[in-house]
Structures are given as structure tokens and as C-alpha cells.
Amino acid sequence: MTEQQLREQMVTLARSMFERGYATGGAGNLSLKLPNGHFLATPTGSSFGRLDAERLSVIDIDGNHISGDRPSKEVAFHLAIYRNNSECNAIVHLHSTYLTALSCLEGLDTDNAIKPFTPYFVMRIGKLPVIPYLRPGDPRIAEELAKRAKDYRAFLLANHGPVVTGSDLIDAVDNAEELEETAKLALMLDGKPIRYLSEEEITDLQGRGK
Ligand SMILES: O=C(O)[C@H](O)C(=O)COP(=O)(O)O
Ligand SMILES: [Zn+2]
């Protein structure tokens, strides 16, 4: 895809998420890898429902602002993931309701916040590690994500929300939506006897793609 097509794709997918309630206000940010090796990102403070393709931010791998409006305050953690996972070509960060609610719970398994009970969570996400709470924009978020980037497709920032990767922006958005629905199910099923997937069932699903 050309840069212009990727710009239009980011606007279209962001608006779709906004209109379906996955994003509100100025929360969240998106990024993707451009053909020239730079990165397209949502401007800081921008609403997913009102992005302007021509004003999207462009940055380089070192975080230098190349063009467009001032980039998200979180581009540092986006770049930390890109540097440490060559399979990641797009990133979605949300404050989506159910994953943010989950991120606020005490006692989460920090290696994987959602014990698998549906196949698609295993096939699309795998495991959801929890990153300790840090103020939005704190550079240590990037350090924490850099450590885990090569081993996971998604991350849960404690008391904040998810960060979800993909092979392109459509994949990252689909992964983020699946993860949000899984968190919704997990919270709905809380306190009820869940039949979790067995280790054999999980192994059978791994590496089968989506
Ligand atoms: O993650 C953050 O810093 C904020 O919570 C957020 O999601 C939006 O920040 P941005 O600078 O508008 O991307
Ligand atoms: Zn945020």
C-alpha cells in the first residue's frame, strides 16, 4: 500500500473503532510502519473519530518528528516495540472499557492476565502480560514493553489499557477488538465456573494462525 492509502486506512479504522465505542475522547493512539521506514502515528490529543489524513504525524525510528501534527506522547513505546519485534507493523493503544477495567484489578497474573477459555484469544493473542502502572507518557513504559516485545502480541498497561500489535493495521485492530471482547467475557463470567481450555487444547491451537 502507498503512504496515502495507509493514511486513509488509519483514518477509516480509527473512525470505525470510535463509532463502535472502542475509543472515546482523545484517548488511545495508533501507529503503523510506512514503506519508507518511517512511522505514521496519531497526533497527541487527537480523537479517533476526527482524524485528518493529511495532519497525521510522521516520525522516524529514533522518534524525530518528520511531518504532520505533534505525535502521540506515547510514540516512544510504539517505537520500542517496532525496534524489538520485526513482525510488528502496526500498533493499537486503547482505553477500551473492559480491558481498562481488567487492568485495574488487584491480583492479576502478570504473565498472562486472561486465562484462556476461547480458541480465538489463543489464536490471535496468546498471552496478555501486565506492565506495572506508570504515568501515561513515562519513558519507562517503553522500557517495559521493549523487554517483552519479541515474546508477546499484546500487553496490558496496569490501570490504563491495552497495547496490541499486528502484521498490519487491520490485523492489529482485529486483534484489539478480539481482546476487548475476551476481557468483556472474562468479566461477565467472573465468579462463575468457567471451563478453561486445557493445556492440550491450547497447544493444539498454537501456530495455527487465525
Ligand atoms: O497513553 C497516553 O499517553 C494517553 O493515555 C493516551 O492514550 C493518549 O495520549 P496521546 O498523546 O493523545 O496519544
Ligand atoms: Zn493511554
Side-chain angles (χ1 to χ4, degrees), residues 102-198:
L102 179 70
S103 79
C104 297
L105 291 179
E106 293 276 13
L108 291 175
D109 175 351
T110 54
D111 291 329
N112 181 21
I114 300 178
K115 189 175 176 184
F117 51 83
T118 56
Y120 226 36
F121 170 73
V122 177
M123 295 160 77
R124 278 203 166 271
I125 305 297
K127 290 188 174 182
L128 184 64
V130 182
I131 309 299
Y133 175 74
L134 291 161
R135 170 187 46 75
D138 188 315
R140 290 173 293 174
I141 299 177
E143 294 167 14
E144 292 293 335
L145 290 170
K147 285 189 272 188
R148 298 167 174 84
K150 67 184 183 317
D151 297 321
Y152 299 96
R153 290 183 196 156
F155 316 85
L156 191 61
L157 306 181
N159 303 88
H160 187 163
V163 177
V164 185
T165 69
S167 56
D168 60 21
L169 191 56
I170 290 175
D171 186 45
V173 168
D174 287 351
N175 290 340
E177 291 184 20
E178 179 62 29
L179 188 55
E180 172 68 1
E181 296 310 302
T182 304
K184 183 175 181 179
L185 287 168
L187 293 171
M188 284 171 64
L189 293 169
D190 186 41
K192 295 177 169 60
I194 299 174
R195 191 200 79 87
Y196 292 102
L197 298 181
S198 68

Side-chain angles (χ1 to χ4, degrees), residues 2 7 21 42 58 74 78 81-82 84 90 96-97 105 109 114-115 125 162-164 174 188 190 200 204-205:
T2 66
R7 285 174 178 267
T42 48
V58 176
E74 298 289 20
H78 288 241
I81 295 172
Y82 289 121
N84 290 279
S96 53
T97 304
L105 291 179
D109 175 351
I114 300 178
K115 189 175 176 184
I125 305 297
V163 177
V164 185
D174 287 351
M188 284 171 64
D190 186 41
E200 293 74 23
D204 176 53
L205 289 164

Side-chain angles (χ1 to χ4, degrees), residues 12-151:
T12 301
L13 289 171
R15 186 187 307 119
S16 172
M17 284 192 282
F18 182 85
E19 290 172 350
R20 290 178 294 131
Y22 288 101
T24 57
N29 33 72
L30 305 172
S31 69
L32 59 81
K33 200 179 286 184
L34 289 170
N36 67 3
H38 288 163
F39 298 85
L40 191 66
T42 48
T44 190
S46 60
S47 163
F48 280 25
R50 299 188 293 275
L51 292 177
D52 177 341
E54 303 319 313
R55 297 183 59 174
L56 294 173
S57 311
V58 176
I59 56 178
D60 68 13
I61 190 62
D62 298 318
N64 298 306
H65 183 194
I66 305 296
S67 64
D69 288 354
R70 194 156 54 90
S72 165
K73 70 169 86 68
E74 298 289 20
V75 286
F77 80 51
H78 288 241
L79 294 171
I81 295 172
Y82 289 121
R83 282 193 206 95
N84 290 279
N85 183 343
S86 58
E87 292 178 15
C88 172
N89 295 305
I91 297 170
V92 173
H93 166 53
L94 300 171
H95 297 180
S96 53
T97 304
Y98 293 96
L99 280 164
T100 304
L102 179 70
S103 79
C104 297
L105 291 179
E106 293 276 13
L108 291 175
D109 175 351
T110 54
D111 291 329
N112 181 21
I114 300 178
K115 189 175 176 184
F117 51 83
T118 56
Y120 226 36
F121 170 73
V122 177
M123 295 160 77
R124 278 203 166 271
I125 305 297
K127 290 188 174 182
L128 184 64
V130 182
I131 309 299
Y133 175 74
L134 291 161
R135 170 187 46 75
D138 188 315
R140 290 173 293 174
I141 299 177
E143 294 167 14
E144 292 293 335
L145 290 170
K147 285 189 272 188
R148 298 167 174 84
K150 67 184 183 317
D151 297 321

